Amino acid sequence: MLCVRPISKLSPPNPNFLCNRMAMKRLLLFLKPFDANPVLHSDGFSRVTTPQILRHLENRNEVHREAINVCKDILQQKDVDWEPVLRNDLSEPISNVDLVVTVGGDGTLLRASHFLDESIPVLGVNSDPTQVDEVEEFSNEFDASRSTGHLCAATVNNFEQVLDSILSGEAVPSKLSRISLSVNSELLTKYPLNDVLIAHPCPASVSRFSFKIRNEQSCSPLLNCRSSGLRISTAAGSTAAMLSAGGFPMPILSRKLQYMVREPIAPGKLSSFMHETILPDQSIEMAWLCNEGVIYIDGSHICHPIEYGDIVEISSKAPSLRVFLPHLMMHTVRAGETGETSEHQTYPKL
């Protein structure tokens, strides 16, 4: 059983956060919860009858539990103060710590990001990585995929090594772009790290909206859309839902955003505007033209209702998130494959 104390009881912040020898003393262990009975209903009856699936789910739960214990054992050996907290138990912004370590997958890191500003870095530990051999073995019976850890720099196998490189100051966090959202000029307090979906609350209903892309020098034509909604992703989120919908992966450190009008109805000559990128000095200004609407932030857990006539502004002018990225991802970045340009985007005449 986890013993969780309020974050406020940790020691005061240390101003010497980054130095040659990192003066890191306070660490928050941010945990995906585990289910004591992962395959049982509340009435005690199993939701699963297939033996292979049953064993798979039980093993996943056990692997995650063991990963938490390994991380805790390693932290006990380090010269740091640390506290664990279950992700479902946190409701206030994280402060007074030098580092947040998430144990789960990308979803847990995403959840932590909603409580972080740009002053505190985060390290993701993938507690239950997908095993390729297992997926192939059971591909004809069920989906044996485990945890996605695209942004997680560590697993239990290398957590101590990665942590030591952070404590010694050898590893440096990267700045990932997030999305800034405002509704009727009121800034929302959550900054999406992956993506935003603006759509009708009923997925079978048509979303009606208009939008334009603007900066200080120019403005695109007004686009009037009937579709399944508008999705906007960061570079980090471009390999998630955006890619599944037909988008393209972006360099992880890019400050551009990618947008896509989902399933547009008869776009005609405006089709070239249905899927594009916007630059850091640009924003999307959207007018919602349905009685109901929802802004979904990084999935379905965080949402904000909108109604007819609301004006939503989307840009990358949000505080970045400092993340210790996987070594292979950073190797790609250092190889010069960022693909960034400084030129301004122009808009063709219709």
Side-chain angles (χ1 to χ4, degrees):
M1 183 173 181
L2 294 175
C3 177
V4 180
R5 289 184 287 167
I7 301 173
S8 59
K9 291 189 177 181
L10 291 172
S11 56
N14 188 332
N16 301 318
F17 167 51
L18 278 177
C19 58
N20 290 334
R21 180 77 180 177
M22 184 171 287
M24 180 180 293
K25 291 299 180 182
R26 303 154 330 280
L27 186 150
L28 181 68
L29 196 62
F30 189 83
L31 305 172
K32 172 185 175 181
F34 51 81
D35 190 345
N37 297 290
V39 296
L40 295 181
H41 280 303
S42 58
D43 58 10
F45 290 98
S46 176
R47 294 173 290 192
V48 180
T49 57
T50 306
Q52 293 92 333
I53 300 179
L54 182 63
R55 286 194 294 269
H56 175 74
L57 294 176
E58 290 178 337
N59 179 256
R60 288 203 60 183
N61 191 60
E62 184 57 34
V63 168
H64 175 61
R65 185 197 301 267
E66 180 60 26
I68 292 175
N69 291 334
V70 169
C71 291
K72 291 169 64 177
D73 289 344
I74 290 173
L75 288 174
Q76 292 279 26
Q77 304 169 28
K78 304 301 176 182
D79 185 24
V80 294
D81 298 327
W82 61 277
E83 295 286 346
V85 61
L86 294 175
R87 71 183 188 189
N88 295 344
D89 293 340
L90 191 65
S91 58
E92 298 295 328
I94 297 172
S95 61
N96 294 337
V97 299
D98 296 311
L99 175 69
V100 172
V101 175
T102 65
V103 184
D106 283 343
T108 303
L109 193 151
L110 277 175
R111 186 77 67 90
S113 74
H114 300 147
F115 299 97
L116 289 169
D117 61 19
E118 56 187 343
S119 67
I120 301 173
V122 59
L123 166 67
V125 180
N126 188 351
S127 63
D128 185 26
T130 292
Q131 302 173 26
V132 177
D133 293 344
E134 184 181 47
V135 172
E136 293 177 351
E137 179 182 355
F138 296 110
S139 60
N140 293 329
E141 302 176 49
F142 63 93
D143 181 6
S145 300
R146 292 178 177 249
S147 176
T148 300
H150 182 68
L151 297 177
C152 296
T155 65
V156 293
N157 294 328
N158 68 344
F159 172 59
E160 184 169 18
Q161 178 186 358
V162 174
L163 179 64
D164 286 344
S165 69
I166 294 173
L167 296 177
S168 68
E170 178 184 351
V172 178
S174 299
K175 293 184 177 181
L176 300 188
S177 290
R178 292 192 279 188
I179 299 174
S180 174
L181 291 164
S182 65
V183 179
N184 300 326
S185 300
E186 183 176 346
L187 186 66
L188 301 189
T189 58
K190 300 296 185 182
Y191 298 114
L193 176 62
N194 255 12
D195 54 33
V196 172
L197 174 62
I198 307 175
H200 195 281
C202 175
S205 295
V206 174
S207 296
R208 291 177 170 85
F209 57 92
S210 63
F211 74 95
K212 54 189 173 183
I213 304 173
R214 60 187 314 157
N215 57 27
E216 294 182 358
Q217 289 78 31
S218 61
C219 181
S220 76
L222 182 67
L223 307 176
N224 298 300
C225 299
R226 292 179 299 148
S227 75
S228 296
L230 179 68
R231 187 184 300 280
I232 307 98
S233 83
T234 62
S238 65
T239 57
M242 180 64 79
L243 183 62
S244 298
F248 52 86
M250 301 167 66
I252 189 65
L253 299 186
S254 172
R255 295 186 59 231
K256 296 178 183 178
L257 299 180
Q258 183 178 168
Y259 74 85
M260 177 184 291
V261 177
R262 302 170 72 222
E263 302 167 334
I265 300 174
K269 62 182 179 180
L270 300 178
S271 59
S272 61
F273 290 93
M274 296 296 103
H275 180 203
E276 256 297 351
T277 58
I278 63 172
L279 300 177
D281 65 340
Q282 298 173 330
S283 63
I284 296 178
E285 186 177 290
M286 176 192 198
W288 186 251
L289 304 176
C290 293
N291 290 333
E292 298 177 89
V294 181
I295 301 174
Y296 296 98
I297 296 175
D298 283 339
S300 60
H301 295 291
I302 301 176
C303 55
H304 183 88
I306 53 176
E307 58 186 26
Y308 188 95
D310 282 349
I311 303 298
V312 183
E313 185 171 356
I314 308 108
S315 74
S316 61
K317 300 178 179 67
S320 58
L321 182 71
R322 300 169 67 199
V323 182
F324 290 96
L325 294 175
H327 176 76
L328 181 60
M329 188 179 295
M330 290 309 302
H331 176 75
T332 300
V333 170
R334 294 190 187 102
E337 299 177 13
T338 59
E340 287 288 82
T341 62
S342 58
E343 57 187 318
H344 288 268
Q345 182 170 325
T346 58
Y347 307 103
K349 294 182 179 180
L350 297 181

